[in-house]
Amino acid sequence: MTNALVTGTAIAVATGLVGYFMVLRSQVFTGDALSHVSVTGALAALALGVDARLGLFAATIAVGVGIGVLGLRGRADDVVIGSVFAWVLGLGVLFLSLYTTSRSAGNGAGGVSVLFGSILAVSGARARVAVAIAAVIAACVLLIARPLLFASVDEAVAEARGVQVRALGVAFLALVGAVAAEATQIVGALLLLGLLAAPAGAALRLTARPYRALWVSVALAVASVWGGLGLNSLAPRLPPSFAIIAVASAFYALTFLALPRRRGSKASM
Amino acid sequence: MLAVAGAHFTWNLADDFRQLFEFPFMVNAFRAGTIVAVVAGAIGWFMVLRRQAFAGHTLALVGFPGAAGAIWLGVSATWGFFGFCVGAALLIAWLRPERGEGYSEESSGIGVVQAFALACGFLFVSLYRGFLNGINALLFGSFLGVTNGQVLVLLIVGGAALTALAAVGRPLLFTSIDPDVAAARGVRVRALSVLFLVLLGLTVAEVSQITGTLLVFALLVMPPATAQLLTARPGVSVAITVVIGLLVTWLGLAVAYFTPYPIGFFVTSFAFAGYVGAAALRRGGRRRVIA
């Protein structure tokens, strides 16, 4: 439980930071794609017989950089993302079949923990590695936070002022890839999008001031993980991954109750 | 995939065709694949035009929690399934900001809808304690093991979806290309956008129950994306989409039949190759025009 709490907190800080910029830059679909790519990465590692984490990080970071390089100005069109990630999932099904035929046992359990995570199964050594990687990701985000914010809010002006917009975009997508691989370990590939998008989406609705929103996003992500683990210990039948995402989604939903929905222009319709 | 069946590829193509259709499950796979390719192509064409691939992917996934919840509660899976699909489609439509406001609110909303729906699915499955294998089937799926009844369901759903799409096709095309002018001409932009999302949700979710999300999503995105790279004329582009969809599906099924590897891999790979080819062709063409 201590391991779960420590790892979960560290990863939540990283997802809160990365998630904020991801939502600000409207790249949530990229996050969705990278979360599915992590399934392929893990399955490839299983098929090849290496540590699943190696496959996770290699696949998500490679695809993140690839999407960034292919897209205009380090951002990709959603059709490009959709096509690339449908194909990567196609590779995933190939690795799944290679894996299940090479290991004679019909091993579904490994796949399920990749899809839905297993925060309570994080052991001492794995926890230390995960915390270290989360710290590196968080440090990288904070290091590029200022220029990245500039580039995200006003790309043209940032470029005119000499900010390396394209390189920043690619570097940021590599960070999204790394955080996706990290979060897969606690909430799983299918659910990590909630941990990336919900706290950040809520933070952006709550305040328009960038740095405050960044910290609100981190706080909400950490609160989601703690709340989820708390719910799980109160009601053990609730899987922790579900509880974490439910708390995060609740925060997001609450911002709609607390604040009236912002509308662009009411006149046009 | 089916090397078990003793299928051997020979250069005698007539013999290969006989082998392909030897088993009823393969015939059903071709039937299901054909229906899905046509329907997904037509709806996906509008989805790609409207840049709603993320919404499409999310809607393809929400059928699973709906069905899982219904099974856990002991009611018919159909109810949960329609409830979740329509609910998610309406929610996404409601989150979609009117023009001018940034895109980020919509996309984070869709992300939350998707993650929460899948989390609910996981909860229902773990409460029900069973059918975890269904999750792999949902994600990756295949056309194999489709029954006669399911082919009928696919045919009915596909027919209904195509009819609805044909009915709103013209105004939908108008609003997708230029919402401002369409609104000025009295087209009900908002209503059409909600209607399209509900239509997308119902169709995609129903189809993904039978064939898995991967194949539906691949056929939804890649053929239209390829076709829209090749031509700007709407009618021709829809026709190319359907042709590409059918080709990659049939080819994928046939190749998978003679090799030990899964259909999903071949269908997505052929479709992706087509897309990359079209992109290269277009880029080369543009360079020549500039030069």
Side-chain angles (χ1 to χ4, degrees), chain B residues 102-165:
Chain B
Y103 176 75
S104 63
E105 189 162 312
E106 180 195 9
S107 69
S108 66
I110 298 176
V112 176
V113 169
Q114 181 192 110
F116 185 65
L118 285 173
C120 287
F122 181 45
L123 173 73
F124 299 146
V125 167
S126 68
L127 287 175
Y128 184 70
R129 293 167 197 286
F131 83 177
L132 263 182
N133 279 329
I135 292 169
N136 272 338
L138 169 91
L139 259 194
F140 296 128
S142 80
F143 291 119
L144 300 177
V146 175
T147 62
N148 282 330
Q150 284 173 322
V151 171
L152 195 65
V153 170
L154 277 175
L155 195 64
I156 293 168
V157 170
L162 287 182
T163 313
L165 204 60

Side-chain angles (χ1 to χ4, degrees), chain A residues 30-102:
Chain A
T30 314
D32 177 33
L34 289 175
S35 68
H36 281 72
V37 165
S38 66
V39 180
T40 299
L43 287 170
L46 286 173
L48 296 171
V50 297
D51 189 340
R53 279 176 293 172
L54 197 67
L56 275 177
F57 281 100
T60 53
I61 294 177
V63 173
V65 169
I67 287 178
V69 170
L70 285 178
L72 207 65
R73 297 172 172 274
R75 294 175 186 229
D77 194 70
D78 75 343
V79 176
V80 176
I81 302 170
S83 304
V84 168
F85 108 79
W87 181 60
V88 173
L89 267 181
L91 286 180
V93 68
L94 174 70
F95 290 126
L96 181 69
S97 85
L98 288 178
Y99 174 60
T100 45
T101 47
S102 67

